Amino acid sequence: MVQHYGDTDTLTEPPTDSATQRYEAARAAAHRAMTSVTVIPDRPPVQPPADPELPVYRGFKFGAAFFGWLITVSMTVLLTAVIAGVGVGAAYILEYTRADAERRPGTAAITAAAILVLMLCLAIYTGGYVAGRLARFDGLRQGFGVWMMALLVTVLAAGAGAALNTQYDLVGRVNRPNVSLSNDALTTGGMITAAALLILPLLAALLGGRTGQRYHDKIDSMLD
């Protein structure tokens, strides 16, 4: 015996047009709700991370130049002590006395000037290198800043010394050796030494700052 529970044709009837439209409308609304982005007008836009290549990170940095100048002063004191010790030891071994220096004043003066220029160049090169490493960018400007600070401090110290000398005659109390050189020779030698002390340390400071920056340039080139 076969039992019929209903008409099976009613189970396969497609939905009416109104039901289809409601289904598509609900589906479209759900899709719009999922893909829509709510914009908050009072909220500021998110800024991207700062780029280290931006101009704000470049230029002269006073802090880097200042610490580079401190290193320059420290190196000057250290090198002065080392050169003085080596000079005393060499004079003792070679039995070089003050009388020998007075007999050949030109050689002694040229040697002293060359050692002084070399010492200052090495000291300010180290200071420029430190400034370039600290600032990362624009090493030439950092080295120039170290040189400028050293020059300003030297000028101020020379001015203070000249003011004190006018009152207390400090230079006249110094036991200077009798140099058998003409005034023209002393003037020419002094001008050449002054020019060397002005130009060569500047070049050394620029080179030191550029060398300090090169350390960061190598790292940036490996990361790119």
Side-chain angles (χ1 to χ4, degrees), residues 105 179-189:
V179 180
S180 58
L181 293 175
S182 62
N183 292 331
D184 294 338
L186 291 176
T187 303
T188 303

Side-chain angles (χ1 to χ4, degrees), residues 63-96:
F66 176 75
F67 284 105
W69 173 75
L70 290 180
I71 295 298
T72 300
V73 174
S74 303
M75 286 296 298
T76 302
V77 174
L78 177 62
L79 291 175
T80 300
V82 172
I83 291 174
V86 172
V88 171
Y92 177 79
I93 294 174
L94 299 176
E95 296 181 355
Y96 188 82

Side-chain angles (χ1 to χ4, degrees), residues 18 50 53 57 91 112 119 124 134 138 181 185 195 207 212 218:
S18 59
E53 298 294 334
Y57 294 99
M119 178 189 67
I124 203 167
L134 289 176
D138 295 326
L181 293 175
L207 180 61
K218 292 180 180 179

Side-chain angles (χ1 to χ4, degrees), residues 92-215:
Y92 177 79
I93 294 174
L94 299 176
E95 296 181 355
Y96 188 82
T97 61
R98 180 173 177 175
D100 297 330
E102 292 178 353
R103 283 195 298 268
R104 291 181 293 181
T107 303
I110 292 174
T111 303
I115 292 176
L116 176 62
V117 172
L118 180 62
M119 178 189 67
L120 290 180
C121 287
L122 182 58
I124 203 167
Y125 171 84
T126 307
Y129 178 83
V130 171
R133 284 286 296 271
L134 289 176
R136 183 178 180 182
F137 299 112
D138 295 326
L140 294 178
R141 293 184 181 182
Q142 317 312 325
F144 180 79
V146 173
W147 176 82
M148 182 59 68
M149 287 186 181
L151 180 62
L152 291 177
V153 172
T154 302
V155 170
L156 292 176
L164 292 175
N165 184 62
T166 56
Q167 296 182 0
Y168 302 103
D169 191 19
L170 300 177
V171 178
R173 299 179 182 180
V174 178
N175 186 13
R176 293 170 293 178
N178 296 323
V179 180
S180 58
L181 293 175
S182 62
N183 292 331
D184 294 338
L186 291 176
T187 303
T188 303
M191 293 177 62
I192 294 174
T193 304
L197 289 175
L198 190 64
I199 297 175
L200 294 181
L202 172 60
L203 299 178
L206 295 177
L207 180 61
R210 187 66 185 88
T211 306
Q213 178 191 347
R214 193 172 300 170
Y215 171 81

